[in-house]
Amino acid sequence: MTFAQAVTDRTRRLQTRLCVGLDPRLSEYRDLDALRSHTLDVLEATAPFAVCVKPQLAFFEALGLPGFTLLEEVCAQARTLGLPVLLDGKRGDIGTTAAAYAQGWLAGAHAGDALTVNPFLGFATLTPFVEAARANAGAVFVLVKTSNPGQDDLQGEGVSERVAAEIARLNAQEAGDGYASVGAVVGATHPGDLARFRAAMPRALLLLPGLGAQGARAADLAPAFHSDGTGALASASRAVQYAAGLDVVAGREAARTLRDELNAALAQA
């Protein structure tokens, strides 16, 4: 299955829309061994409630070579658990550099099933990423309207809408009428915009970051989904991995609660 098919199938079978983010912060642990064990334990404990897992590449890169080794372990364990892997790297560059990023993160030894990408060097920079995603049954998630308060500096005045239109154009190139390979990042912190972006990109999966630590509420996210409850992945990282310090059981229960809150929001919509 493609990434889009896999997460949609998992949504329907397990009734979950929660994307569990992994942000292994070295400052939280006594050493690298503790970081590794806790990260893998959280992954396993939360898998039953997750539609996919989202490792934040910055935290793995910050660890140097041990971080890349851990990333490969995370990806391998996620696949054993049946969890699609969405790498959060926000990569974006031009020409051969963009192609190298696409090769490394969508087809290489550290590859995930999907990758977040930055379109703000121009739409042509998306081409290598989209081609790699399509060739490997993967996906890219293009930044449209991010969850941070300062996003309006560059994403206002119609810019986000132009990116959304380009995503819709790219997805229209793909056969069929299901979700296509180009998704969109639309912050869960912008609930008033979700219905508009959902309508603008009907074949795009929406990644909704910002649950928990950034203040977004599951109860507000129903407009991001299609009427059958598919089409969006609501992401929480710190609110799960560090729900109560390094308590893995608390992380598992936080994931369960968020899954249930998302389901309740859709039931009431």
Side-chain angles (χ1 to χ4, degrees), residues 188-192 194-195 208 211 215-225 261-262 265:
T189 50
H190 309 293
L194 296 179
L208 314 173
L211 276 182
R217 302 189 314 147
D220 297 329
L221 303 186
F225 295 84
E261 290 176 351
L262 289 163

Side-chain angles (χ1 to χ4, degrees), residues 60-132:
F60 292 87
E61 291 169 350
L63 302 173
L65 287 177
F68 285 97
T69 300
L70 175 58
L71 178 62
E72 291 187 357
E73 288 187 87
V74 165
C75 291
Q77 180 168 309
R79 290 178 180 125
T80 297
L81 294 166
L83 273 176
V85 178
L86 196 175
L87 298 178
D88 193 355
K90 301 179 179 68
R91 293 300 190 262
D93 217 307
I94 61 172
T96 55
T97 308
Y101 276 137
Q103 172 66 29
W105 295 117
L106 289 165
H110 309 297
D113 304 301
L115 175 70
T116 58
V117 296
N118 187 333
F120 291 102
L121 276 73
F123 291 151
T125 66
L126 297 177
T127 300
F129 296 103
V130 174
E131 290 178 346

Side-chain angles (χ1 to χ4, degrees), residues 190-200 223-224:
H190 309 293
D193 295 323
L194 296 179
R196 182 163 53 89
F197 285 118
R198 174 72 283 161

Side-chain angles (χ1 to χ4, degrees), residues 77-259:
Q77 180 168 309
R79 290 178 180 125
T80 297
L81 294 166
L83 273 176
V85 178
L86 196 175
L87 298 178
D88 193 355
K90 301 179 179 68
R91 293 300 190 262
D93 217 307
I94 61 172
T96 55
T97 308
Y101 276 137
Q103 172 66 29
W105 295 117
L106 289 165
H110 309 297
D113 304 301
L115 175 70
T116 58
V117 296
N118 187 333
F120 291 102
L121 276 73
F123 291 151
T125 66
L126 297 177
T127 300
F129 296 103
V130 174
E131 290 178 346
R134 289 172 175 168
N136 292 280
V140 293
F141 285 81
V142 182
L143 304 184
V144 171
K145 191 173 183 67
T146 55
S147 57
N148 57 303
Q151 55 78 32
D152 199 49
D153 293 344
L154 295 176
Q155 296 166 27
E157 299 184 359
V159 172
S160 293
E161 289 73 13
R162 288 172 60 191
V163 179
E166 176 65 8
I167 291 171
R169 186 190 72 82
L170 289 168
N171 284 337
Q173 298 172 349
E174 299 184 21
D177 56 3
Y179 296 114
S181 62
V182 186
V185 178
V186 179
T189 50
H190 309 293
D193 295 323
L194 296 179
R196 182 163 53 89
F197 285 118
R198 174 72 283 161
M201 299 174 285
R203 296 189 61 194
L205 290 172
L206 304 186
L207 176 64
L208 314 173
L211 276 182
Q214 293 186 59
R217 302 189 314 147
D220 297 329
L221 303 186
F225 295 84
H226 282 123
S227 59
D228 65 351
T230 67
L233 318 171
S235 178
S237 301
R238 283 171 285 174
V240 173
Q241 187 169 4
Y242 304 111
L246 302 182
D247 186 337
V248 174
V249 173
R252 175 185 171 89
E253 291 310 305
R256 185 202 303 270
T257 297
L258 287 168
R259 178 206 61 180

Side-chain angles (χ1 to χ4, degrees), residues 6-19 46-52 83 218 225-234 255-268:
V7 296
T8 302
D9 173 72
R10 196 168 173 88
T11 292
R12 288 174 171 150
R13 283 190 299 108
L14 301 182
Q15 287 300 297
T16 181
R17 288 99 183 147
L18 177 66
C19 169
T46 59
F49 312 112
V51 69
C52 65
L83 273 176
F225 295 84
H226 282 123
S227 59
D228 65 351
T230 67
L233 318 171
R256 185 202 303 270
T257 297
L258 287 168
R259 178 206 61 180
D260 292 346
E261 290 176 351
L262 289 163
N263 290 347
L266 288 171
Q268 295 167 12

